Amino acid sequence: MTRPGDPARRARLLHEGNRRPGPVLHWMSRDQRVDDNWALLHAADLARQRRTTLHVAFALDPAFPGATRRAWDFLVRGLEEVEATLRRQGIPFHLLTGDPPAELIRFCRKYKIGEVVTDFSPLRHKRRWMAGLAEATGLPVVEADAHNIVPCWLASPKQEFAARTLRLKLNRSLSDWLEEFPPLDPPSAPSHLPPPTDWEGVRQAVAGARPVPPVDWLDPGPAAARAHLQRFVAGPLRTYALTRNDPTRDGTSNLSPWLHFGHLSAQRAALAAGPAAAPDEARLAFLEELVVRRELSDNFCLYNPSYDTPEGYPAWAKKTLALHAHDPREHLYDLDTFAAARTHDDLWNAAQRQMIRTGKMHGYLRMYWAKKILEWTPTVAEAHRIALTLNDTWELDGRDPNGYVGVAWSLGGVHDRPWANRPIFGTIRCMTANGCRSKFRVPDFLARWPA
Ligand code: FAD
Ligand code: FO1
C-alpha cells in the first residue's frame, strides 16, 4: 500500500519484462525538468532501493511530427538547463539523437540498464516508443504521471464526456493528490559523469526543421518558468476571472509553453495558487483551467484513439455536421490563405498574426479562430486538418493534448453540448465577430496586431 508523498503511487508497470541488476534509467520525455518530477523521483527511489545508480536520458527525434525551429529552440535550451541541474546533483544525463526506440535500445544495452521509468503521455507516438523499447529489450517499463496532479488512469478509467463529470472525480480526490513534492534524493553517483552534451551538434541535428522563428518574449527552462509563476500568482492572478477572456488584456498566466514542455509542473502551479493573495473566484477560475480542463485533455487523448481527427467527435456532433455538410459556404480558403492571414475577416487575420509573431494566440480567440476555419473550408475533415496544422506550426504550446481537444471542442463539440441549430455548424456552438465585439474591444486587438 503506497502512502501520500510516495512517487510509486503515481506509477504503473506498463510492460512486465524481467528486471536485471543494472542501473535504473529515467527516460525523460514529456516532463523536461528536475524539480517536482514524479517520474524522476520514482526512478531515484528505485535506484536507491536496489543499491544501483540512476541515469537520465532524453531521446531527441529530429523527425518529431510537427516540430519547428521555434519548438526545438525552446526544448533544447530547456534541456541544457536540465543537464546542468542534474550534473550538480551527480546524476548523469544523456542526450540521444535519432529514432527514440532504436537509440534507447542501444543505450540500455551499452549501460546494462536493469529497468526503465518514463513519464506519462497519452499521445500515440510516445506509447509506440514505449512498446518498441519494451519488446526489444525485455526490460520492465514503468510510467509515472509527472504531468497531472491525479494520475490520468486513476482520475478516470474511461473517456469523460464533459468537464462536469471529470471535475467531480478530480475534486473528490484533489485533497489526496495535491501535495508538496518530496526532495529528490539521488542514489550514489556513478564513478564518473559522461562528458557534457555537444549542444551545438544537437542544434545541427534539428537545423532542417521548418524555419518558424524562435520567440524572444519568454525564456525557456525551469528557472524562468518558476520565476514567471511567482510573478503571476503575486499579480495578474488577482483579476484572472475578470480578464482571462479579454484578448486586449494580458490577463492569463502565459504558462502553457512551459507546461507543454514540462519545464513547470502543473501541480507546482496549483500549489502556488493556493495561498496566493487573490480572490477565491480568481483562484477557482484558474484551477478550473489548469487542473480540470488540462487533465480533461489528457483523459480524452488517453481513451480516444481518434483524438486528432473528426472520428473522435461525439455521435450527436457527427450527425449534425453531416446534415449540414452541403450547406453553402460564403467564403472558402485553403491552408496557404489561412496561414498568410489573408481571409476577409480582420479579427481572424489579427489572431493568426498574433500566433505567427508570438507563438501564442490568446485562448479566447483560439475558439473563434478554429470555428471560423470550420465555416470557411469545404469539409470538416479539411477544417480539422488545417486547424491542427496551423496550431502545431506556430503555437509554442502546440503538439499537445490541449490542442487536440481545443480543436475537437471547437469543431466537433467534444466536452460541449448541442446549441441552437445554424447553417454549416448545425447544433455545434458557433461564435461570431459580433459576439466578440460584445466581449472585448476588437479595434484595440486589431491595432495591436496590424498586417
Ligand atoms: P491560462 O488561462 O493562464 O490557463 C492556465 C493553464 O491551464 C494553461 O497553461 C493550460 O495548461 C491550461 N488551460 C487553459 N485553458 C485550457 C483549455 N481550454 N483546455 C485545456 N487546458 C487549458 N493549449 C495548449 O496547451 N496547447 C495547444 O496547442 C492549444 N491549442 C488550442 C487550440 C484551440 C482551438 C483552443 C480552443 C484551445 C487550445 N489550447 C491549447 C487551450 C488554451 O487555449 C491554452 O492552453 C491557453 O490559451 C494557454 O494560455 P495560458 O497559459 O495563458 O492559459
Ligand atoms: N519528446 C521526446 O521525448 N523527444 C522528442 O524529440 C520530442 C520533440 C518534441 C518537439 C516538439 C514538441 O512540442 C514536443 C516534443 N517532445 C519530444 C515532447 C513530448 O513528445 C511530449 O510528450 C508531447 O509533445 C506531449 O505529450
Side-chain angles (χ1 to χ4, degrees):
M1 177 58 190
T2 59
R3 66 198 186 291
D6 182 351
R9 68 178 189 143
R10 297 168 187 266
R12 63 177 175 173
L13 181 61
L14 263 195
H15 298 281
E16 187 77 30
N18 40 37
R19 186 162 53 82
R20 302 198 188 115
V24 173
L25 167 64
H26 169 48
W27 166 21
M28 180 181 278
S29 172
R30 189 180 193 194
D31 290 278
Q32 301 160 29
R33 66 178 180 278
V34 176
D35 292 340
D36 305 338
N37 185 329
W38 290 115
L40 177 57
L41 285 162
H42 184 50
D45 285 356
L46 292 180
R48 267 198 334 280
Q49 287 156 20
R50 305 186 191 327
R51 301 192 191 299
T52 183
T53 52
L54 168 69
H55 287 262
V56 175
F58 184 90
L60 186 150
D61 178 3
F64 188 87
T68 61
R69 193 169 301 168
R70 173 173 288 176
W72 286 121
D73 170 71
F74 203 83
L75 181 149
V76 170
R77 288 163 62 197
L79 285 179
E80 286 187 84
E81 183 181 327
V82 165
E83 176 180 61
T85 308
L86 288 168
R87 286 185 81 85
R88 283 198 294 276
Q89 306 201 41
I91 301 174
F93 174 80
H94 309 265
L95 194 285
L96 315 177
T97 305
D99 174 57
E103 292 304 318
L104 286 156
I105 292 160
R106 202 193 324 277
F107 178 84
C108 289
R109 288 196 177 128
K110 180 178 176 189
Y111 284 82
K112 298 184 176 37
I113 296 298
E115 67 190 301
V116 179
V117 177
T118 190
D119 48 40
F120 165 75
S121 170
L123 300 184
R124 65 177 75 89
H125 66 271
K126 176 69 187 300
R127 311 207 72 73
R128 265 205 299 265
W129 290 350
M130 288 190 289
L133 175 62
E135 273 143 40
T137 61
L139 287 173
V141 176
V142 171
E143 77 174 345
D145 192 340
H147 214 74
N148 296 301
I149 295 169
V150 183
C152 191
W153 57 87
L154 297 180
S156 171
K158 63 179 179 54
Q159 179 179 333
E160 297 291 332
F161 287 89
R164 179 179 42 77
T165 54
L166 184 66
R167 186 182 304 117
L168 284 172
K169 294 179 179 175
L170 287 176
N171 286 345
R172 248 205 316 272
S173 47
L174 261 193
S175 56
D176 188 27
W177 293 95
L178 182 49
E179 61 187 341
E180 253 308 334
F181 292 83
L184 177 62
D185 178 8
S188 51
S191 49
H192 62 284
L193 293 181
T197 300
D198 164 21
W199 293 106
E200 271 330 297
V202 173
R203 286 188 172 82
Q204 279 313 310
V206 296
R210 281 178 298 163
V212 177
V215 297
D216 59 7
W217 59 278
L218 79 171
D219 289 324
R226 291 288 290 267
H228 186 86
L229 170 64
Q230 292 316 324
R231 278 197 301 278
F232 171 68
V233 296
L237 172 62
R238 265 197 287 266
T239 54
Y240 180 82
L242 308 171
T243 59
R244 71 186 184 88
N245 280 332
D246 183 343
T248 66
R249 310 278 297 274
D250 208 11
T252 66
S253 72
N254 281 326
L255 290 173
S256 62
W258 290 297
L259 290 168
H260 166 70
F261 286 98
H263 297 166
L264 178 70
S265 152
Q267 186 160 338
R268 176 57 62 201
L271 288 168
D280 278 349
E281 180 204 25
R283 184 186 351 270
L284 292 174
F286 177 63
L287 292 174
E288 169 67 13
E289 302 301 332
L290 177 77
V291 183
V292 179
R293 284 288 162 184
R294 200 183 45 78
E295 309 211 351
L296 183 63
S297 299
D298 268 28
N299 169 274
F300 181 72
C301 293
L302 180 63
Y303 294 118
N304 191 320
S306 306
Y307 57 72
D308 54 353
T309 71
E311 198 40 49
Y313 299 172
W316 68 266
K318 287 178 185 167
K319 189 159 166 282
T320 196
L321 286 165
L323 276 178
H324 291 267
H326 304 294
D327 288 7
R329 265 82 169 153
E330 197 185 331
H331 302 276
L332 280 178
Y333 299 115
D334 62 14
L335 175 62
D336 292 344
T337 307
F338 281 119
R342 278 206 319 267
T343 73
H344 69 287
D345 182 316
D346 291 345
L347 178 56
W348 192 95
N349 295 341
Q352 176 69 12
R353 285 193 289 268
Q354 178 186 36
M355 179 174 68
I356 289 173
R357 295 175 189 169
T358 68
K360 190 169 181 296
M361 186 188 297
H362 188 279
Y364 184 80
L365 278 173
R366 295 197 199 194
M367 299 184 282
Y368 175 79
W369 171 88
K371 286 177 182 290
K372 289 299 158 191
I373 295 173
L374 172 64
E375 202 173 323
W376 305 330
T377 39
T379 67
V380 179
E382 177 77 356
H384 199 108
R385 190 183 63 76
I386 286 179
L388 277 184
T389 301
L390 296 171
N391 184 89
D392 289 356
T393 296
W394 280 291
E395 295 285 17
L396 250 185
D397 58 25
R399 303 155 302 281
D400 189 281
N402 291 342
Y404 297 121
V405 169
V407 169
W409 177 92
S410 301
L411 275 57
V414 166
H415 303 143
D416 203 359
R417 63 173 176 78
W419 293 74
N421 205 21
R422 310 258 312 212
I424 304 177
F425 287 86
T427 53
I428 299 284
R429 177 201 307 247
C430 92
M431 289 171 76
T432 62
N434 281 339
C436 289
R437 266 188 274 281
S438 71
K439 280 264 185 179
F440 63 91
R441 291 191 45 70
V442 170
D444 290 1
F445 187 79
L446 302 185
R448 195 162 163 191
W449 304 103

